[in-house]
Tab-separated table of all heavy atoms in Angstrom:
chain	number	residue	atom	x	y	z
A	152	LEU	N	4.213	-9.442	-29.454
A	152	LEU	CA	4.674	-8.308	-30.315
A	152	LEU	C	3.641	-8.101	-31.477
A	152	LEU	O	3.490	-6.859	-31.910
A	152	LEU	CB	6.012	-8.636	-31.018
A	152	LEU	CG	7.136	-8.788	-29.991
A	152	LEU	CD1	8.450	-9.323	-30.598
A	152	LEU	CD2	7.422	-7.358	-29.468
A	153	GLY	N	3.019	-9.109	-32.005
A	153	GLY	CA	1.952	-8.976	-33.070
A	153	GLY	C	2.650	-8.281	-34.373
A	153	GLY	O	3.820	-8.303	-34.474
A	154	SER	N	1.736	-7.838	-35.176
A	154	SER	CA	2.098	-7.032	-36.377
A	154	SER	C	3.072	-7.835	-37.223
A	154	SER	O	3.938	-7.309	-37.998
A	154	SER	CB	2.760	-5.685	-36.054
A	154	SER	OG	1.780	-4.915	-35.397
A	155	GLY	N	3.047	-9.273	-37.150
A	155	GLY	CA	3.835	-10.036	-38.073
A	155	GLY	C	5.392	-9.999	-37.601
A	155	GLY	O	6.291	-10.352	-38.347
A	156	ILE	N	5.747	-9.511	-36.411
A	156	ILE	CA	7.023	-9.361	-35.866
A	156	ILE	C	7.388	-10.767	-35.248
A	156	ILE	O	6.759	-11.182	-34.410
A	156	ILE	CB	7.184	-8.255	-34.929
A	156	ILE	CG1	6.988	-6.906	-35.631
A	156	ILE	CG2	8.673	-8.258	-34.236
A	156	ILE	CD1	6.969	-5.629	-34.648
A	157	ASP	N	8.464	-11.346	-35.731
A	157	ASP	CA	8.893	-12.711	-35.250
A	157	ASP	C	10.012	-12.430	-34.232
A	157	ASP	O	11.163	-12.002	-34.527
A	157	ASP	CB	9.500	-13.507	-36.431
A	157	ASP	CG	9.929	-14.855	-36.095
A	157	ASP	OD1	9.929	-15.225	-34.850
A	157	ASP	OD2	10.236	-15.623	-36.901
A	158	ALA	N	9.794	-12.672	-32.973
A	158	ALA	CA	10.617	-12.490	-31.927
A	158	ALA	C	11.902	-13.388	-32.057
A	158	ALA	O	13.001	-12.997	-31.773
A	158	ALA	CB	10.029	-12.808	-30.518
A	159	VAL	N	11.775	-14.604	-32.581
A	159	VAL	CA	12.923	-15.506	-32.767
A	159	VAL	C	13.817	-14.971	-33.837
A	159	VAL	O	15.064	-14.881	-33.578
A	159	VAL	CB	12.478	-16.941	-33.185
A	159	VAL	CG1	13.594	-17.803	-33.466
A	159	VAL	CG2	11.561	-17.464	-32.003
A	160	ALA	N	13.275	-14.382	-34.834
A	160	ALA	CA	14.073	-13.842	-35.914
A	160	ALA	C	14.765	-12.561	-35.412
A	160	ALA	O	15.920	-12.257	-35.802
A	160	ALA	CB	13.118	-13.447	-37.121
A	161	ALA	N	14.066	-11.819	-34.560
A	161	ALA	CA	14.708	-10.621	-33.854
A	161	ALA	C	15.894	-10.905	-33.066
A	161	ALA	O	16.979	-10.286	-33.176
A	161	ALA	CB	13.772	-9.805	-33.109
A	162	VAL	N	15.802	-12.055	-32.228
A	162	VAL	CA	16.925	-12.462	-31.521
A	162	VAL	C	18.094	-12.983	-32.367
A	162	VAL	O	19.227	-12.710	-32.087
A	162	VAL	CB	16.441	-13.602	-30.461
A	162	VAL	CG1	17.660	-14.185	-29.745
A	162	VAL	CG2	15.483	-13.072	-29.512
A	163	ALA	N	17.729	-13.640	-33.504
A	163	ALA	CA	18.763	-14.119	-34.393
A	163	ALA	C	19.462	-12.981	-34.930
A	163	ALA	O	20.670	-12.962	-35.093
A	163	ALA	CB	18.073	-14.972	-35.487
A	164	ALA	N	18.760	-11.814	-35.360
A	164	ALA	CA	19.320	-10.613	-35.853
A	164	ALA	C	20.343	-10.009	-34.843
A	164	ALA	O	21.440	-9.463	-35.107
A	164	ALA	CB	18.140	-9.662	-36.296
A	165	PHE	N	19.798	-9.937	-33.475
A	165	PHE	CA	20.672	-9.414	-32.497
A	165	PHE	C	21.989	-10.320	-32.364
A	165	PHE	O	23.103	-9.770	-32.377
A	165	PHE	CB	19.847	-9.446	-31.251
A	165	PHE	CG	20.769	-9.281	-29.952
A	165	PHE	CD1	21.469	-8.046	-29.726
A	165	PHE	CD2	20.874	-10.229	-29.018
A	165	PHE	CE1	22.283	-7.834	-28.690
A	165	PHE	CE2	21.717	-10.121	-27.914
A	165	PHE	CZ	22.315	-8.888	-27.724
A	166	LYS	N	21.818	-11.603	-32.250
A	166	LYS	CA	23.055	-12.406	-32.099
A	166	LYS	C	23.958	-12.314	-33.294
A	166	LYS	O	25.148	-12.265	-33.149
A	166	LYS	CB	22.673	-13.898	-31.932
A	166	LYS	CG	21.998	-14.149	-30.651
A	166	LYS	CD	21.584	-15.583	-30.336
A	166	LYS	CE	20.960	-15.840	-29.044
A	166	LYS	NZ	20.447	-17.178	-28.891
A	167	SER	N	23.416	-12.200	-34.511
A	167	SER	CA	24.177	-12.025	-35.706
A	167	SER	C	24.924	-10.599	-35.739
A	167	SER	O	26.171	-10.547	-35.991
A	167	SER	CB	23.346	-12.106	-36.978
A	167	SER	OG	24.117	-11.740	-38.061
A	168	SER	N	24.311	-9.640	-35.328
A	168	SER	CA	24.947	-8.297	-35.275
A	168	SER	C	25.972	-8.243	-34.128
A	168	SER	O	27.027	-7.618	-34.371
A	168	SER	CB	23.861	-7.124	-35.011
A	168	SER	OG	23.380	-7.184	-33.693
Side-chain angles (χ1 to χ4, degrees):
L152 293 171
S154 302
I156 297 176
D157 183 353
V159 175
V162 171
F165 165 65
K166 289 180 179 174
S167 175
S168 70

